[in-house]
Amino acid sequence: MRVTKFEHATLTLLDSGRTLVIDPGSFTSPLADLEDLVGIVLTHEHPDHWTPDHLDRLLKAFPGTPIYGPEGVARAAAGYDVTVVHPGDTVDLDPFRLEFFGGQHAVIHDSIPVIDNVGVLVNDEFYYPGDSYAVPTGKKVRLLAAPVGAPWLKIGEAMDFVLAVAPRQAFGTHDMTLSRIGNDMGRARLRWAVEQDGGEFLALEPGDSTDI
């Protein structure tokens, strides 16, 4: 399975010639040259994780592609056919098996309502928490996409999240709000965290891929 990082929080997974897209949002360039799109996962409703323009382009190229997200996404994207998923749900999209965790977005501030958010585990190997520190309890994660910069993120908490998941490998995501210096600083902290359990940190830039 090949995992590719795009700008900010957007990811694609490719396996056996089929593609899964996660969180195509407003900070991400249009996705092109995708192979056989079989599903789209939107972890939550914020525009840096989905836009109508992205969905329209993807559905034009691959009509009928199913979209999965929590109830907040279904309300925000009311013009689209969104299948609502909850923590504990599983979805089979050959060759991908999706399992969902969490349930809530990380707190930004007491004045801002907490919204729905799901983390997604793919094929029991790759995990992305969306905008949360939801740990896939009981799972041995091979590759973790770990948020490194956000209005809700404190780097010490992000480090604790990586320590709790203890993946074999990790890379930083959710990073377009950071300067180059800030991104490098955050990555260094996540590198330390993943190495505490003998793991490896991958410094992926937009367009870079890794195989698991």
Side-chain angles (χ1 to χ4, degrees), residues 94-168:
D94 185 34
F96 303 106
R97 182 180 186 272
L98 315 180
E99 186 173 356
F100 296 93
F101 293 85
Q104 290 190 324
H105 192 287
V107 174
I108 300 172
H109 188 264
D110 290 344
S111 66
I112 301 174
V114 176
I115 63 171
D116 297 329
N117 179 94
V118 289
V120 60
L121 178 70
V122 183
N123 292 351
D124 285 322
E125 292 188 309
F126 170 77
Y127 184 63
Y128 172 59
D131 282 11
S132 80
Y133 299 123
V135 174
T137 305
K139 303 295 183 178
K140 293 185 177 180
V141 175
R142 184 168 177 183
L143 178 64
L144 172 68
V148 67
W152 48 270
L153 187 147
K154 178 181 177 181
I155 196 61
E157 294 173 348
M159 294 165 70
D160 284 341
F161 167 69
V162 174
L163 289 168
V165 177
R168 292 269 303 279

Side-chain angles (χ1 to χ4, degrees), residues 14-156:
L14 176 66
D15 191 1
S16 303
R18 296 179 177 178
T19 303
L20 177 73
V21 169
I22 302 175
D23 282 0
S26 57
F27 298 151
T28 304
S29 302
L31 300 175
D33 301 324
L34 299 180
E35 296 183 45
D36 193 10
L37 183 62
V38 296
I40 302 167
V41 173
L42 307 178
T43 61
H44 64 284
E45 66 199 71
H46 286 158
D48 59 325
H49 292 258
W50 83 280
T51 68
D53 286 346
H54 274 298
L55 292 188
D56 289 346
R57 278 190 294 267
L58 292 171
L59 294 174
K60 182 178 180 181
F62 301 94
T65 301
I67 303 169
Y68 300 91
E71 291 180 2
V73 166
R75 291 191 296 268
Y80 299 90
D81 185 9
V82 176
T83 298
V84 173
V85 291
H86 303 90
D89 287 351
T90 59
V91 173
D92 287 313
L93 289 173
D94 185 34
F96 303 106
R97 182 180 186 272
L98 315 180
E99 186 173 356
F100 296 93
F101 293 85
Q104 290 190 324
H105 192 287
V107 174
I108 300 172
H109 188 264
D110 290 344
S111 66
I112 301 174
V114 176
I115 63 171
D116 297 329
N117 179 94
V118 289
V120 60
L121 178 70
V122 183
N123 292 351
D124 285 322
E125 292 188 309
F126 170 77
Y127 184 63
Y128 172 59
D131 282 11
S132 80
Y133 299 123
V135 174
T137 305
K139 303 295 183 178
K140 293 185 177 180
V141 175
R142 184 168 177 183
L143 178 64
L144 172 68
V148 67
W152 48 270
L153 187 147
K154 178 181 177 181
I155 196 61

